[in-house]
Amino acid sequence: MVSANTDYTYNSKIEGDVIVSKADAVVNWIRTHSMWPMPMGLACCAIELMASGAARHDISRFGAEVMRFSPRQSDVMIVSGTVTYKMATAVRRIYDQMAAPRWVIAMGACASSGGMYRSYATLQGVDRIIPVDVYVSGCPPRPEALLDALIKLQQQVRREPALTNLLKPEA
Amino acid sequence: MPAVIEISTLTARFPQVSARPSGDCPAFNVPASVLLEVMRFLRDEQGFDLLTDITGMDWGVNASPRFGVIYHLVTTKSYDVIRLATECTATEPPAVPSVVSIWPAAEWHEREAYDFFGIRFEGHPDLRRILMWDSYPHHPLRKDFPLAGIETPLPDDEIQAETGTKVMPAPMAGGPFVAPQQDFVSKREPRARDESWNEKKPKPGS
């Protein structure tokens, strides 16, 4: 009879009460697993953003289910939709109110490049006013694409020198 | 089908009103000078108690009069629609009397027409822009306004200073982009009408 191995995680009886790691790795591990989104839903991409939060796609598998409508409590702004020039100033103000560290996902064609709206009223890509970390293609992108962007962002955050960034003022 | 309202009903009272060619509902040309009286007559005595739409019109840079306003009225008894067209009195700024005193619903419609065409509605209680921001200097649905836009400051000076960006003309690159109306939908990728120029290669003759 083979008994099941119950040692899933760290076992202090075997390995002692100490874990050796790098501070960056620990900080980034914490950050990547609870990125609270600021849902900047501006057009039809926001519907897909809602779908990725719902049961079928379940964004909480990646620790990003806590949609915060307060910029003070959120880590990653998901710009989902067409950014008009009139709204662009509000988007920038909300971004400015987010506490560092903060990241931005440009979801869909409109947020990334203006999309099909080549007109006087539409900002041609939200990266003209805020720094974007991940762009998602699609019109609108499927929820899987947004989840993929989130995973890409997590990979990116894992490589960040978190401690060095903590000590230096944000550019 | 009997006509909703005969032109004679209107001309008997207002000789300035004339019939207007129309493919669907009855339509009339109404000079701006009698617009309010005609509207009040239609609402109080002919039962057109619902204003569904106000459209600003720019008939072209060289047209005279250049600007007009079109109203659609509905009677909620038989759900018949009529159309009234009026011409703006002055050219710059074009003006017509406001019908807000007759239909409060006109308030936002008139603000929209003012926003996009610069038509002044005399007597409007609060004639501000409704979609573009208050300091926007142009009226973007006029025929002489380019679709891509004109460089203007952002609505917020502080954010313009911080981001160093402005309202820039959108890259048209031969656009506007249209999908050809033949073949399967999967093959109808939107294309520029004139692909001989783009961001790198300037438009010939400009």
Side-chain angles (χ1 to χ4, degrees), chain A residues 52-88:
Chain A
S52 38
R56 180 179 285 266
H57 299 286
D58 192 8
I59 202 171
S60 68
R61 292 179 291 160
F62 308 99
E65 78 276 26
V66 192
M67 301 276 174
R68 287 285 117 168
F69 293 89
S70 161
R72 307 278 184 207
Q73 302 172 354
S74 46
D75 303 306
V76 50
M77 179 190 264
I78 302 177
V79 185
S80 46
T82 318
V83 188
T84 58
Y85 281 113
K86 197 175 178 182
M87 192 65 196

Short mmCIF file of all heavy atoms in Angstrom, two decimals, chain A residues 52-88:
data_model
loop_
_atom_site.label_atom_id
_atom_site.label_comp_id
_atom_site.label_asym_id
_atom_site.label_seq_id
_atom_site.Cartn_x
_atom_site.Cartn_y
_atom_site.Cartn_z
N SER A 52 -14.57 38.53 -18.22
CA SER A 52 -13.40 37.87 -17.66
C SER A 52 -13.48 37.83 -16.14
O SER A 52 -12.81 37.01 -15.51
CB SER A 52 -12.11 38.52 -18.14
OG SER A 52 -12.24 39.89 -18.21
N GLY A 53 -14.31 38.69 -15.55
CA GLY A 53 -14.49 38.61 -14.11
C GLY A 53 -15.56 37.61 -13.71
O GLY A 53 -15.66 37.25 -12.54
N ALA A 54 -16.37 37.18 -14.68
CA ALA A 54 -17.50 36.31 -14.36
C ALA A 54 -17.06 34.85 -14.28
O ALA A 54 -15.89 34.52 -14.48
CB ALA A 54 -18.60 36.50 -15.39
N ALA A 55 -18.03 33.96 -14.00
CA ALA A 55 -17.70 32.59 -13.61
C ALA A 55 -16.94 31.82 -14.67
O ALA A 55 -16.02 31.08 -14.37
CB ALA A 55 -19.00 31.87 -13.28
N ARG A 56 -17.30 31.99 -15.95
CA ARG A 56 -16.70 31.13 -16.96
C ARG A 56 -15.20 31.37 -17.11
O ARG A 56 -14.41 30.44 -17.22
CB ARG A 56 -17.38 31.36 -18.31
CG ARG A 56 -16.81 30.51 -19.41
CD ARG A 56 -17.53 30.77 -20.71
NE ARG A 56 -18.83 30.13 -20.72
CZ ARG A 56 -19.07 28.92 -21.23
NH1 ARG A 56 -18.09 28.23 -21.76
NH2 ARG A 56 -20.27 28.42 -21.23
N HIS A 57 -14.79 32.63 -17.10
CA HIS A 57 -13.37 32.92 -17.32
C HIS A 57 -12.63 33.17 -16.01
O HIS A 57 -11.45 32.85 -15.90
CB HIS A 57 -13.23 34.10 -18.27
CG HIS A 57 -13.83 33.81 -19.61
ND1 HIS A 57 -13.21 32.98 -20.50
CD2 HIS A 57 -15.00 34.17 -20.16
CE1 HIS A 57 -13.97 32.87 -21.58
NE2 HIS A 57 -15.06 33.57 -21.40
N ASP A 58 -13.31 33.74 -15.03
CA ASP A 58 -12.83 33.77 -13.64
C ASP A 58 -11.41 34.33 -13.48
O ASP A 58 -10.45 33.60 -13.29
CB ASP A 58 -12.91 32.35 -13.06
CG ASP A 58 -12.71 32.40 -11.55
OD1 ASP A 58 -12.68 33.51 -11.00
OD2 ASP A 58 -12.60 31.32 -10.94
N ILE A 59 -11.33 35.64 -13.54
CA ILE A 59 -10.04 36.31 -13.45
C ILE A 59 -9.42 36.12 -12.06
O ILE A 59 -8.21 36.32 -11.88
CB ILE A 59 -10.22 37.82 -13.80
CG1 ILE A 59 -8.90 38.45 -14.24
CG2 ILE A 59 -10.82 38.59 -12.65
CD1 ILE A 59 -9.04 39.83 -14.80
N SER A 60 -10.20 35.64 -11.08
CA SER A 60 -9.65 35.47 -9.73
C SER A 60 -8.66 34.31 -9.68
O SER A 60 -7.91 34.19 -8.71
CB SER A 60 -10.77 35.25 -8.72
OG SER A 60 -11.39 34.02 -8.93
N ARG A 61 -8.65 33.44 -10.70
CA ARG A 61 -7.60 32.42 -10.75
C ARG A 61 -6.22 33.05 -10.79
O ARG A 61 -5.22 32.42 -10.45
CB ARG A 61 -7.77 31.56 -12.01
CG ARG A 61 -9.01 30.70 -11.98
CD ARG A 61 -9.12 29.92 -13.25
NE ARG A 61 -9.42 30.78 -14.37
CZ ARG A 61 -9.19 30.45 -15.63
NH1 ARG A 61 -8.63 29.31 -15.93
NH2 ARG A 61 -9.50 31.28 -16.60
N PHE A 62 -6.15 34.32 -11.23
CA PHE A 62 -4.85 35.00 -11.34
C PHE A 62 -4.73 36.13 -10.31
O PHE A 62 -3.88 37.00 -10.44
CB PHE A 62 -4.67 35.52 -12.76
CG PHE A 62 -4.89 34.44 -13.77
CD1 PHE A 62 -6.10 34.33 -14.44
CD2 PHE A 62 -3.92 33.49 -14.00
CE1 PHE A 62 -6.32 33.30 -15.33
CE2 PHE A 62 -4.14 32.46 -14.89
CZ PHE A 62 -5.34 32.36 -15.55
N GLY A 63 -5.61 36.13 -9.35
CA GLY A 63 -5.51 37.09 -8.25
C GLY A 63 -5.90 38.50 -8.60
O GLY A 63 -5.46 39.43 -7.95
N ALA A 64 -6.71 38.67 -9.64
CA ALA A 64 -7.06 40.03 -10.05
C ALA A 64 -8.56 40.24 -10.05
O ALA A 64 -9.08 41.00 -10.87
CB ALA A 64 -6.48 40.32 -11.44
N GLU A 65 -9.26 39.57 -9.13
CA GLU A 65 -10.72 39.67 -9.17
C GLU A 65 -11.25 40.87 -8.41
O GLU A 65 -12.41 41.20 -8.53
CB GLU A 65 -11.34 38.39 -8.61
CG GLU A 65 -11.32 38.29 -7.09
CD GLU A 65 -10.01 37.74 -6.54
OE1 GLU A 65 -8.98 37.89 -7.22
OE2 GLU A 65 -10.03 37.16 -5.45
N VAL A 66 -10.40 41.53 -7.62
CA VAL A 66 -10.92 42.63 -6.80
C VAL A 66 -10.90 43.91 -7.61
O VAL A 66 -9.95 44.67 -7.59
CB VAL A 66 -10.10 42.78 -5.50
CG1 VAL A 66 -10.82 43.68 -4.54
CG2 VAL A 66 -9.89 41.42 -4.87
N MET A 67 -11.98 44.12 -8.39
CA MET A 67 -12.08 45.34 -9.18
C MET A 67 -12.30 46.51 -8.23
O MET A 67 -13.28 46.53 -7.48
CB MET A 67 -13.26 45.25 -10.14
CG MET A 67 -13.18 44.10 -11.10
SD MET A 67 -12.18 44.50 -12.53
CE MET A 67 -12.15 42.90 -13.34
N ARG A 68 -11.39 47.45 -8.24
CA ARG A 68 -11.50 48.59 -7.34
C ARG A 68 -11.88 49.81 -8.13
O ARG A 68 -11.17 50.19 -9.05
CB ARG A 68 -10.16 48.84 -6.65
CG ARG A 68 -9.84 47.82 -5.61
CD ARG A 68 -10.65 48.05 -4.37
NE ARG A 68 -11.51 46.91 -4.14
CZ ARG A 68 -12.17 46.70 -3.01
NH1 ARG A 68 -12.07 47.56 -2.03
NH2 ARG A 68 -12.94 45.66 -2.87
N PHE A 69 -12.99 50.44 -7.75
CA PHE A 69 -13.37 51.66 -8.46
C PHE A 69 -12.73 52.87 -7.83
O PHE A 69 -12.98 53.99 -8.23
CB PHE A 69 -14.89 51.77 -8.53
CG PHE A 69 -15.46 50.68 -9.40
CD1 PHE A 69 -15.79 49.45 -8.88
CD2 PHE A 69 -15.58 50.89 -10.76
CE1 PHE A 69 -16.28 48.45 -9.71
CE2 PHE A 69 -16.06 49.89 -11.58
CZ PHE A 69 -16.41 48.67 -11.05
N SER A 70 -11.92 52.64 -6.80
CA SER A 70 -11.14 53.72 -6.24
C SER A 70 -9.70 53.56 -6.71
O SER A 70 -9.08 52.52 -6.47
CB SER A 70 -11.19 53.66 -4.72
OG SER A 70 -10.11 54.41 -4.20
N PRO A 71 -9.14 54.56 -7.38
CA PRO A 71 -7.76 54.43 -7.86
C PRO A 71 -6.76 54.25 -6.72
O PRO A 71 -5.70 53.68 -6.93
CB PRO A 71 -7.52 55.73 -8.62
CG PRO A 71 -8.56 56.66 -8.17
CD PRO A 71 -9.73 55.85 -7.75
N ARG A 72 -7.11 54.73 -5.53
CA ARG A 72 -6.17 54.62 -4.40
C ARG A 72 -5.93 53.18 -4.01
O ARG A 72 -4.93 52.87 -3.38
CB ARG A 72 -6.74 55.35 -3.18
CG ARG A 72 -7.14 56.77 -3.45
CD ARG A 72 -5.95 57.67 -3.37
NE ARG A 72 -6.36 59.06 -3.53
CZ ARG A 72 -5.58 60.01 -4.01
NH1 ARG A 72 -4.36 59.71 -4.39
NH2 ARG A 72 -6.01 61.23 -4.12
N GLN A 73 -6.88 52.29 -4.31
CA GLN A 73 -6.76 50.91 -3.85
C GLN A 73 -6.38 49.95 -4.97
O GLN A 73 -6.43 48.75 -4.77
CB GLN A 73 -8.11 50.47 -3.26
CG GLN A 73 -8.56 51.34 -2.13
CD GLN A 73 -9.96 51.02 -1.68
OE1 GLN A 73 -10.64 50.22 -2.30
NE2 GLN A 73 -10.40 51.64 -0.61
N SER A 74 -6.05 50.47 -6.15
CA SER A 74 -5.85 49.55 -7.26
C SER A 74 -4.41 49.59 -7.75
O SER A 74 -3.68 50.55 -7.52
CB SER A 74 -6.82 49.87 -8.38
OG SER A 74 -6.82 51.25 -8.62
N ASP A 75 -4.02 48.51 -8.41
CA ASP A 75 -2.63 48.36 -8.87
C ASP A 75 -2.51 48.46 -10.38
O ASP A 75 -1.51 48.95 -10.89
CB ASP A 75 -2.10 46.99 -8.44
CG ASP A 75 -2.19 46.80 -6.96
OD1 ASP A 75 -1.68 47.65 -6.24
OD2 ASP A 75 -2.80 45.80 -6.53
N VAL A 76 -3.49 47.90 -11.10
CA VAL A 76 -3.35 47.87 -12.55
C VAL A 76 -4.61 48.47 -13.18
O VAL A 76 -5.72 48.06 -12.88
CB VAL A 76 -3.10 46.42 -13.06
CG1 VAL A 76 -4.09 45.44 -12.50
CG2 VAL A 76 -3.11 46.35 -14.58
N MET A 77 -4.40 49.50 -14.00
CA MET A 77 -5.52 50.10 -14.69
C MET A 77 -5.73 49.36 -16.01
O MET A 77 -4.79 49.23 -16.79
CB MET A 77 -5.25 51.58 -14.96
CG MET A 77 -6.37 52.27 -15.69
SD MET A 77 -5.90 53.90 -16.25
CE MET A 77 -6.53 54.88 -14.93
N ILE A 78 -6.94 48.85 -16.20
CA ILE A 78 -7.25 48.19 -17.46
C ILE A 78 -8.07 49.17 -18.29
O ILE A 78 -9.25 49.38 -18.02
CB ILE A 78 -8.01 46.87 -17.23
CG1 ILE A 78 -7.18 45.93 -16.36
CG2 ILE A 78 -8.33 46.20 -18.56
CD1 ILE A 78 -7.87 44.64 -16.00
N VAL A 79 -7.42 49.81 -19.26
CA VAL A 79 -8.13 50.78 -20.10
C VAL A 79 -8.85 49.99 -21.18
O VAL A 79 -8.25 49.53 -22.14
CB VAL A 79 -7.17 51.80 -20.72
CG1 VAL A 79 -7.95 52.85 -21.48
CG2 VAL A 79 -6.33 52.45 -19.66
N SER A 80 -10.15 49.80 -21.00
CA SER A 80 -10.89 48.96 -21.93
C SER A 80 -11.89 49.82 -22.66
O SER A 80 -12.96 50.11 -22.14
CB SER A 80 -11.58 47.82 -21.19
OG SER A 80 -12.22 48.33 -20.04
N GLY A 81 -11.52 50.27 -23.84
CA GLY A 81 -12.46 51.02 -24.66
C GLY A 81 -11.85 52.24 -25.31
O GLY A 81 -10.67 52.53 -25.17
N THR A 82 -12.70 52.95 -26.05
CA THR A 82 -12.29 54.12 -26.81
C THR A 82 -12.03 55.28 -25.87
O THR A 82 -12.89 55.64 -25.09
CB THR A 82 -13.42 54.51 -27.77
OG1 THR A 82 -13.94 53.33 -28.35
CG2 THR A 82 -12.93 55.43 -28.84
N VAL A 83 -10.86 55.88 -25.96
CA VAL A 83 -10.54 57.03 -25.12
C VAL A 83 -10.73 58.29 -25.95
O VAL A 83 -9.97 58.55 -26.87
CB VAL A 83 -9.10 56.95 -24.59
CG1 VAL A 83 -8.87 58.04 -23.58
CG2 VAL A 83 -8.82 55.60 -23.98
N THR A 84 -11.76 59.06 -25.65
CA THR A 84 -11.93 60.33 -26.33
C THR A 84 -11.03 61.36 -25.66
O THR A 84 -10.59 61.18 -24.53
CB THR A 84 -13.38 60.81 -26.24
OG1 THR A 84 -13.72 60.92 -24.86
CG2 THR A 84 -14.33 59.84 -26.90
N TYR A 85 -10.77 62.45 -26.38
CA TYR A 85 -9.93 63.49 -25.79
C TYR A 85 -10.59 64.06 -24.54
O TYR A 85 -9.91 64.44 -23.60
CB TYR A 85 -9.70 64.61 -26.81
CG TYR A 85 -8.64 64.26 -27.81
CD1 TYR A 85 -8.95 64.06 -29.14
CD2 TYR A 85 -7.31 64.11 -27.42
CE1 TYR A 85 -7.98 63.72 -30.06
CE2 TYR A 85 -6.33 63.78 -28.33
CZ TYR A 85 -6.66 63.59 -29.65
OH TYR A 85 -5.70 63.26 -30.55
N LYS A 86 -11.92 64.10 -24.55
CA LYS A 86 -12.60 64.65 -23.38
C LYS A 86 -12.38 63.74 -22.17
O LYS A 86 -12.23 64.20 -21.05
CB LYS A 86 -14.09 64.79 -23.68
CG LYS A 86 -14.81 65.71 -22.73
CD LYS A 86 -16.25 65.89 -23.19
CE LYS A 86 -17.02 66.77 -22.24
NZ LYS A 86 -18.41 66.90 -22.66
N MET A 87 -12.37 62.42 -22.41
CA MET A 87 -12.19 61.47 -21.31
C MET A 87 -10.71 61.32 -20.96
O MET A 87 -10.37 60.93 -19.84
CB MET A 87 -12.77 60.11 -21.73
CG MET A 87 -12.90 59.11 -20.60
SD MET A 87 -14.09 59.65 -19.37
CE MET A 87 -13.67 58.58 -18.02
N ALA A 88 -9.82 61.62 -21.92
CA ALA A 88 -8.40 61.36 -21.72
C ALA A 88 -7.87 62.07 -20.49
O ALA A 88 -7.07 61.51 -19.73
CB ALA A 88 -7.63 61.81 -22.96
#
